[in-house]
Amino acid sequence: MTKMTFLKSAAAIALGTSLSATALADTTLRVASWLPPTHPQNAVVWPTWSKWVEEATEGRVKVEIEYGLGHPKTMFELVEDGVVDASWSYHGYVPGRFKLTQAVEQPLLGASAEAASVAHWKVHQKYFAKANEHDGLELIGLFTHGPGQIHTAGPISSLADLKGKKIRLGGGIQGEIGERMEVTAVGAPAPKVYEMMQQGVIDGVFIPMGEQKSLRLHEVARNVVALPGGMYLGSFAIFMNPDFLADLDAKDREAILSVSGEKLSAMAGNAWDAADVEGLKAAQENGVNVAIVKQGDPMAEEFKGLTKGMDEAFYEAVADRGVDAKAALAELRQIARSYK
């Protein structure tokens, strides 16, 4: 082989290698997220799922997280319109569209976020999927945050003390609870809570314990009432653009779905449970007045009385969805409470 022939051969091999690398180049799956990058959803859930996706697709699909793309309620539209490939959001930010998801938010479930998230996914697949509340999206996960608790600037000795107080409510079942407590509801996304508390725009917020750390609420909400099992759970969806999935090779599409669904839901719920442990620790270390209410205590009984009739109100609210909501709620509670 002449020197020139050798060089031509080497060039051809190099070109072939380059073309092969191009052919095998990563597909970038762009995820829109919100809340601070340090929040468990962004620090734990997305990175863990990203690793799963990259491993399952043998590196052909890479996940990138992007911030600052708008209010969390717009995440559904961003993904539907193909602006980004995937995202997550809180169902309560879009009242009217999502009703069935409030099944997992009902009070007195008495289960962890991980247990509730698994039950949420299973019951959705069995009962609720046919109602198409997530039409235009590929639902790949459902989860809840931990038990919603009462975080206030000043102390309270009974739930009656909240009457007339300006409380930030995030939507969903919180609205019903707030109405029964006769609070003055103030709507705002979670990332705005710190600023609103700091400026005295609100007197308090119903939110999980984890936000004492992740949103630094221990600096502005110096009093917490932790009811047994919390007041409610918040329902979230993780979703993808169906066209993005359809354009992938079938092998990669199935690989992504194989690390989503129940597996992703359980992992997300677990991450939010862990965040609550860290949130309580941060609150206590920073001198927040945390009142741990036990079963049978006056405030626990007061809350139980406030929730009477909420199941029936839920059944009535979703009557137009064409599903057996009563059976679904009963099964959800059974799955969550028996989860190991």
Side-chain angles (χ1 to χ4, degrees):
M1 180 183 291
T2 67
K3 184 176 181 180
M4 184 60 70
T5 303
F6 174 80
L7 291 173
K8 286 181 178 179
S9 177
I13 292 171
L15 179 61
T17 302
S18 176
L19 290 172
S20 175
T22 301
L24 294 174
D26 293 340
T27 295
T28 301
L29 195 168
R30 296 172 58 230
V31 173
S33 195
W34 44 283
L35 287 176
T38 53
H39 189 281
Q41 180 69 25
N42 297 319
V44 178
V45 179
W46 283 123
T48 302
W49 184 73
S50 298
K51 183 181 178 184
W52 291 351
V53 167
E54 290 182 34
E55 289 177 348
T57 62
E58 299 175 327
R60 291 182 295 274
V61 179
K62 183 178 181 180
V63 180
E64 288 187 359
I65 304 174
E66 299 182 13
Y67 297 94
L69 296 179
H71 189 290
K73 72 180 180 183
T74 66
M75 297 298 115
F76 297 103
E77 295 170 7
L78 288 176
V79 174
E80 285 173 341
D81 295 342
V83 177
V84 290
D85 307 313
S87 188
W88 67 292
S89 196
Y90 179 58
H91 289 114
Y93 286 145
V94 191
R97 176 174 180 179
F98 303 107
K99 293 182 179 180
L100 294 168
T101 54
Q102 289 187 16
V104 78
E105 297 189 345
Q106 297 301 311
L108 308 177
L109 179 62
S112 67
E114 180 179 350
S117 299
V118 169
H120 198 5
W121 178 261
K122 287 184 173 181
V123 166
H124 176 272
Q125 295 302 91
K126 182 175 178 179
Y127 292 93
F128 298 157
K130 63 183 179 182
N132 291 320
E133 288 190 334
H134 297 86
D135 188 37
L137 301 164
E138 180 75 29
L139 189 66
I140 62 169
L142 287 168
F143 70 95
T144 75
H145 60 45
Q149 305 290 11
I150 304 167
H151 306 245
T152 54
I156 62 169
S157 57
S158 75
L159 299 184
D161 292 345
L162 292 171
K163 184 176 180 180
K165 297 285 188 185
K166 294 173 290 184
I167 305 294
R168 177 269 179 183
L169 301 178
I173 214 66
Q174 292 178 58
E176 176 72 15
I177 292 172
E179 190 175 319
R180 288 169 177 241
M181 290 182 175
E182 299 183 63
V183 306
T184 300
V186 180
K192 294 288 186 183
V193 170
Y194 181 96
E195 179 184 347
M196 295 171 77
M197 288 288 295
Q198 187 180 49
Q199 296 177 352
V201 175
I202 54 176
D203 301 306
V205 58
F206 296 168
I207 210 161
M209 188 65 75
E211 314 312 345
Q212 278 283 321
K213 179 178 180 180
S214 65
L215 296 182
R216 301 182 5 251
L217 292 190
H218 61 81
E219 298 176 10
V220 290
R222 301 290 295 167
N223 296 272
V224 176
V225 171
L227 291 163
M231 296 186 294
Y232 64 93
L233 298 175
S235 174
F236 295 81
I238 304 175
F239 42 87
M240 291 183 66
N241 179 282
D243 293 332
F244 176 88
L245 270 176
D247 288 343
L248 290 174
D249 180 271
K251 182 179 179 181
D252 289 337
R253 183 166 57 251
E254 290 306 312
I256 291 172
L257 294 177
S258 74
V259 295
S260 302
E262 184 179 331
K263 180 177 181 177
L264 173 56
S265 302
M267 184 266 288
N270 179 270
W272 285 60
D273 280 331
D276 280 354
V277 173
E278 290 300 311
L280 176 60
K281 182 180 177 183
Q284 293 172 331
E285 288 178 348
N286 285 280
V288 174
N289 174 32
V290 181
I292 305 293
V293 181
K294 298 178 181 178
Q295 291 284 2
D297 284 355
M299 212 178 296
E301 292 303 305
E302 189 181 2
F303 180 71
K304 193 179 294 184
L306 277 171
T307 65
K308 286 181 180 177
M310 287 186 67
D311 283 2
E312 290 71 23
F314 169 67
Y315 304 147
E316 185 177 344
V318 300
D320 61 343
R321 293 305 202 242
V323 302
D324 189 343
K326 190 171 184 178
L329 182 56
E331 190 163 328
L332 185 149
R333 286 171 171 161
Q334 185 275 322
I335 294 171
R337 289 167 181 168
S338 62
Y339 183 76
K340 302 297 183 184

